[in-house]
C-alpha cells in the first residue's frame, strides 16, 4: 500500500514561510488570497493493508519523527496498491 | 576526557566547541561520534551547532534518533550536565530534554550577527551577578524562533528557566527567549554560540563567562587540584 503523510504547521504556530508565500501571491495580484500555510508531504510504500494496527504504526511514525507535535499537525492517506 | 562533544553528520561547530572547552577553558574534551556510546567517564556533554542530517524533516528531527541519544537521555536523567548550542538546542527540544521547539525566523532570513542579550536570574550559576546584566554573543541561524504553548511558557517563566533573552528580537522568538534550562538545572540550550566568543581575536569574548557558568559543577569535581605555586 502507498502512504501519504501531510504535515502542516499548527494553526496556533506562526508560519513565516506561509506568510512570505502569501505576500508573494498578493504581489502577483492575487490580493484576496489568505491563510497560506506551507507544510510537507512524505510518501512511502509499506506492506499490509488499512487496519487499526497499520494506523497505529503510522501514528507512531508520524508523531515525533515525521512531525513534531509541539509545532505541527499531521494526517495520512492510505492507498491500497 | 571529561567533556563529550557529540558529532553528528552535519555538525559543524564540534571542533570549535572542542577548542573552546579543551584549549581555552582547559577542561579535557573529546568529540564523540553519534553512533558511539557515551564514554563512562563523561562528566558533561555539549551538543554542538551545525546542520545535523542536513536539517532534513526539521532541525534536529533525525539526530534525535541517533544511537547516542539513549545514552544522552540516561545521562541527563541522572543529573549529568548537558549544553545544546544552536542546532544542539534544536536537537534537545526534539528529543524532549528541553520543552518547546524552534521554528523558522519570522524574518525568513538567516541571521548571523553579534547579538545583544539580556541575562536572567535563573539560578546561582546563570544570573546577572555571575554573567553581568547584558552579553553579546554571535548568533547564526535560520530557525531560532522559540515556540511553546502557553502552559509550557508560563512554567518556564515561573520557574526561572529562561537563561537569556534577545535585546532586539532577531527571529520572533516568543518572550524574546534565546536560551532556557530544564527545571532541575542540568540541561541547558541556547541559540547563541558561546564557543565562538572565547578568543582575544573574536569580536566578543562573552562566551567565556557563559561556558564557565555551565562547566562550574564539573570544575568542582576535578580530581586533581594542584596547589598554587
Amino acid at each position: 500500500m502507498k502512504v501519504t503523510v501531510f504535515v502542516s504547521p499548527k494553526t496556533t504556530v506562526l508560519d513565516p514561510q506561509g506568510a512570505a508565500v502569501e505576500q508573494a501571491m498578493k504581489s502577483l495580484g492575487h490580493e484576496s488570497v489568505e491563510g497560506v500555510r506551507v507544510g510537507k508531504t512524505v510518501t512511502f510504500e509499506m506492506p499490509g493493508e488499512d487496519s487499526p494496527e497499520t494506523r497505529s504504526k503510522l501514528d507512531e511514525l508520524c508523531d515525533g519523527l515525521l512531525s513534531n507535535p509541539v509545532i505541527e499537525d499531521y494526517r495520512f492517506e492510505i492507498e491500497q496498491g | 576526557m571529561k567533556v563529550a562533544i557529540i558529532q553528528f553528520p552535519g555538525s559543524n561547530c564540534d571542533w570549535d566547541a572542542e577548542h573552546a572547552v579543551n584549549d581555552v577553558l582547559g577542561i579535557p574534551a573529546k568529540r564523540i561520534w553519534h553512533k558511539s556510546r557515551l564514554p563512562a567517564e563523561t562528566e558533561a556533554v555539549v551538543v554542538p551547532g551545525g546542520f545535523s542530517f542536513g536539517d532534513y524533516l526539521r532541525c534536529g528531527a533525525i539526530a534525535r534518533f541517533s544511537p547516542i541519544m539513549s545514552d544522552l537521555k540516561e545521562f541527563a536523567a541522572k543529573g549529568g550536565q548537558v549544553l545544546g548550542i544552536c542546532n544542539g538546542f534544536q536537537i534537545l527540544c526534539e528529543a524532549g530534554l528541553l520543552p518547546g521547539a524552534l521554528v523558522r525566523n519570522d524574518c525568513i532570513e538567516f541571521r548571523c550577527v553579534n547579538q545583544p542579550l539580556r541575562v536572567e536570574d535563573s539560578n546561582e550559576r546563570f544570573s546577572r551577578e555571575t554573567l553581568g546584566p547584558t552579553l553579546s554573543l554571535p548568533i547564526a541561524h535560520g530557525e531560532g524562533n522559540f515556540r511553546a504553548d502557553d502552559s509550557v511558557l508560563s512554567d518556564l517563566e515561573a520557574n526561572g528557566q529562561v537563561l537569556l533573552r534577545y535585546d532586539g528580537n532577531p527571529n520572533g522568538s516568543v518572550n524574546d527567549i534565546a536560551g532556557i534550562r530544564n527545571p532541575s538545572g542540568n540541561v541547558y540550550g541556547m541559540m547563541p554560540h558561546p564557543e565562538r566568543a572565547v578568543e582575544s581575536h573574536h569580536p566578543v569574548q562573552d562566551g567565556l563567562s557563559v561556558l564557565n557558568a555551565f562547566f562550574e559543577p564539573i570544575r568542582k569535581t576535578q580530581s586533581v587540584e594542584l596547589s598554587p605555586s
Side-chain angles (χ1 to χ4, degrees):
Chain A
M1 59 185 195
K2 186 182 169 192
V3 181
T4 307
V5 178
F6 301 89
V7 180
S8 56
K10 269 191 198 304
T11 47
T12 50
V13 173
L14 181 84
D15 176 18
Q17 214 179 166
V21 172
E22 184 169 318
Q23 205 47 53
M25 287 173 162
K26 287 184 197 295
S27 72
L28 280 172
H30 302 276
E31 273 146 33
S32 55
V33 170
E34 265 177 24
V36 176
R37 315 286 288 172
V38 177
K40 56 177 87 91
T41 63
V42 183
T43 58
F44 52 95
E45 299 277 346
M46 67 186 270
E49 49 190 44
D50 193 347
S51 67
E53 295 81 63
T54 301
R55 286 183 171 263
S56 85
K57 268 189 205 165
L58 287 173
D59 281 329
E60 216 174 277
L61 277 177
C62 292
D63 202 352
L65 176 59
L66 299 183
S67 77
N68 178 344
V70 178
I71 46 171
E72 293 168 321
D73 291 322
Y74 71 85
R75 67 183 176 84
F76 53 77
E77 284 173 8
I78 298 171
E79 210 178 300
Q80 220 61 58
Chain B
M1 204 279 301
K2 292 164 80 89
V3 179
I5 294 157
I6 302 181
Q7 213 176 17
F8 297 96
S11 295
N12 65 9
C13 302
D14 41 349
W15 288 75
D16 306 48
E18 185 187 32
H19 171 69
V21 178
N22 201 60
D23 306 335
V24 181
L25 297 187
I27 306 171
K30 199 176 165 189
R31 282 166 289 110
I32 305 292
W33 185 236
H34 74 117
K35 287 187 175 172
S36 313
R37 300 294 306 262
L38 206 54
E41 67 271 25
T42 303
E43 292 179 28
V45 174
V46 175
V47 188
F51 299 85
S52 60
F53 297 90
D55 278 353
Y56 296 161
L57 279 178
R58 298 174 305 281
C59 306
I62 298 181
R64 174 207 165 168
F65 295 99
S66 273
I68 203 165
M69 291 305 285
S70 55
D71 280 359
L72 182 65
K73 282 184 181 171
E74 189 186 336
F75 180 79
K78 288 180 174 166
Q81 301 295 319
V82 181
L83 171 64
I85 301 168
C86 199
N87 186 227
F89 182 19
Q90 295 163 338
I91 293 168
L92 295 181
C93 289
E94 280 283 339
L97 288 172
L98 287 172
L102 294 137
V103 304
R104 186 71 61 98
N105 293 353
D106 65 349
C107 58
I108 304 287
E109 288 172 349
F110 188 96
R111 283 286 163 96
C112 185
V113 292
N114 287 319
Q115 173 67 42
L117 298 158
R118 299 195 309 274
V119 177
E120 290 294 323
D121 283 321
S122 183
N123 57 19
E124 66 286 348
R125 285 193 272 159
F126 278 85
S127 67
R128 293 187 185 100
E129 199 187 320
T130 58
L131 300 175
T134 58
L135 296 173
S136 177
L137 287 176
I139 58 164
H141 59 248
E143 282 95 355
N145 183 344
F146 183 79
R147 296 280 134 186
D149 66 33
D150 291 344
S151 73
V152 170
L153 206 56
S154 55
D155 283 353
L156 282 174
E157 297 289 357
N159 301 334
Q161 288 172 249
V162 178
L163 304 170
L164 301 167
R165 290 185 212 272
Y166 300 111
D167 194 358
N169 194 327
N171 55 28
S173 234
V174 66
N175 293 8
D176 302 328
I177 289 173
I180 57 170
R181 63 167 172 86
N182 67 347
S184 38
N186 65 310
V187 180
Y188 294 77
M190 59 186 67
M191 289 313 294
H193 286 273
E195 83 284 11
R196 293 187 192 175
V198 296
E199 297 271 14
S200 56
H201 59 260
H202 287 153
V204 290
Q205 287 86 35
D206 289 345
L208 275 174
S209 55
V210 170
L211 292 175
N212 273 319
F214 172 73
F215 288 113
E216 195 202 65
I218 74 161
R219 293 242 200 222
K220 282 184 190 153
T221 61
Q222 222 157 14
S223 48
V224 182
E225 284 280 357
L226 298 175
S227 48
S229 54

